[in-house]
Amino acid sequence: MLEVMVNGCSGKMGQIVCDLIEQSKNFVIKCGFDRNVTGEFAFPVFDQIKNITEKPDIIIDFSVPVATFHILEYAVQNHVPIVIATTGFSQEEEEKIKQYSKQIPIFKSANMSYDIMIMKKLVQWLAPLLKDTDIEITETHHNRKIDSPSGTAQMLADSINDSLENTLHCEYNRHDKREKRDTNEIGMHSIRGGNIVGEHVVQFFGEFETFELKHTSYSRNVFAEGALKASEFLIKQSAGFYTMEDMFQI
């Protein structure tokens, strides 16, 4: 059985991961880590890196960027693989994570859903075929989500741009602009409200027709299940940076 440390165990996603592990025959919770511990747990939970006495086989991280880097330092020092499902990293932080992966196996994805990986591949394929359209991405999430746009929306935009030889740029704010739409932009829109798990829409607007792709998540369990699958994959790997595409060979 894989012994897991859950980073961000007090958060909503951390709690879901813990619940799934407790129901699993392949995993057991070794300990949890959270800088703001709330509630009661049936396993040791630490709020300071220096106090961690347990060494897990793998770490699953559903937290915030600053907390991810706290646990990354522990992971590197103790040679523990880590699955990062946290979003909202800056480009500089993304590069720093890749530097860490030279020392330990790191699996990172802005979205742990297999279907989202299919959507990513589809927009990569479609963009060159619809290169003369106006591309807009809209993402909708619950009112507690901190980062905007979502990591998934940015991933989709980056995939489109890569397929078009990086000739486009993302437009995040048209509020202060008084000019027509740039033909080389990808419009990015974020909606926050209620308890929406996650919805992503990519639209290709032509002069006489529109092509639209949409993905809707109805349960956060899909992300937790993806993280557990990623753990089983990562534990067999050597030091390096891995993604959903590596796991599913999409």
Side-chain angles (χ1 to χ4, degrees):
M1 297 181 74
L2 278 181
E3 296 183 326
V4 182
M5 174 194 290
V6 179
N7 188 40
C9 60
S10 290
K12 186 174 288 292
M13 277 307 308
Q15 291 176 32
I16 293 173
V17 171
C18 291
D19 289 343
L20 284 183
I21 290 176
E22 289 175 352
Q23 298 169 29
S24 171
K25 297 179 181 179
N26 300 324
F27 298 87
V28 64
I29 302 176
K30 184 75 169 180
C31 62
F33 185 85
D34 204 303
R35 297 301 293 269
N36 299 299
V37 180
T38 58
E40 297 182 359
F41 298 88
F43 49 85
V45 176
F46 304 95
D47 59 3
Q48 296 289 331
I49 295 292
K50 64 181 180 180
N51 294 335
I52 297 176
T53 56
E54 313 287 335
K55 183 179 178 181
D57 296 319
I58 199 160
I59 298 168
I60 295 178
D61 168 56
F62 275 99
S63 60
V64 294
V66 63
T68 298
F69 280 100
H70 279 306
I71 210 66
L72 260 174
E73 293 176 5
Y74 167 87
V76 170
Q77 291 171 3
N78 292 276
H79 305 288
V80 180
I82 181 170
V83 173
I84 299 175
T86 297
T87 62
F89 296 101
S90 67
Q91 189 58 45
E92 181 180 351
E93 288 172 332
E94 295 279 3
E95 291 302 319
K96 190 174 180 180
I97 290 171
K98 289 182 180 178
Q99 288 299 314
Y100 277 122
S101 73
K102 294 179 180 179
Q103 302 178 65
I104 59 172
I106 294 179
F107 186 104
K108 183 178 181 298
S109 178
N111 192 304
M112 290 287 170
S113 162
Y114 176 75
D115 286 6
I116 280 290
M117 292 303 104
I118 297 298
M119 186 176 188
K120 175 184 175 183
K121 284 298 182 181
L122 285 173
V123 297
Q124 280 182 315
W125 178 71
L126 283 169
L129 300 177
L130 302 170
K131 62 182 178 180
D132 295 324
T133 61
D134 297 324
I135 304 171
E136 300 283 306
I137 298 176
T138 303
E139 53 95 356
T140 304
H141 284 85
H142 52 85
N143 57 21
R144 299 171 302 283
K145 187 170 178 61
I146 298 172
D147 54 313
S148 174
S150 69
T152 302
Q154 190 63 59
M155 177 182 70
L156 293 171
D158 291 343
S159 297
I160 290 169
N161 203 14
D162 288 345
S163 70
L164 294 173
E165 300 180 346
N166 294 305
T167 55
L168 307 182
H169 65 274
C170 292
E171 177 56 62
Y172 301 98
N173 179 21
R174 295 189 178 121
H175 182 268
D176 298 323
K177 286 193 170 185
R178 294 294 182 270
E179 58 189 62
K180 68 177 185 179
R181 187 189 194 282
D182 187 337
T183 57
N184 292 322
E185 74 183 35
I186 300 175
M188 303 287 282
H189 313 279
S190 297
I191 299 172
R192 297 288 176 267
N195 197 36
I196 301 296
V197 174
E199 183 175 279
H200 294 85
V201 180
V202 180
Q203 294 169 295
F204 299 86
F205 291 94
E207 186 173 359
F208 302 112
E209 56 189 348
T210 300
F211 195 104
E212 178 179 303
L213 285 176
K214 178 180 179 180
H215 177 272
T216 303
S217 296
Y218 297 108
S219 171
R220 293 175 178 82
N221 282 37
V222 68
F223 310 128
E225 289 173 352
L228 294 184
K229 290 178 182 177
S231 298
E232 292 178 312
F233 164 82
L234 191 65
I235 201 69
K236 303 172 186 176
Q237 310 305 319
S238 57
F241 187 81
Y242 303 91
T243 68
M244 292 287 281
E245 294 184 48
D246 295 309
M247 182 167 66
F248 290 112
Q249 297 183 347
I250 300 173

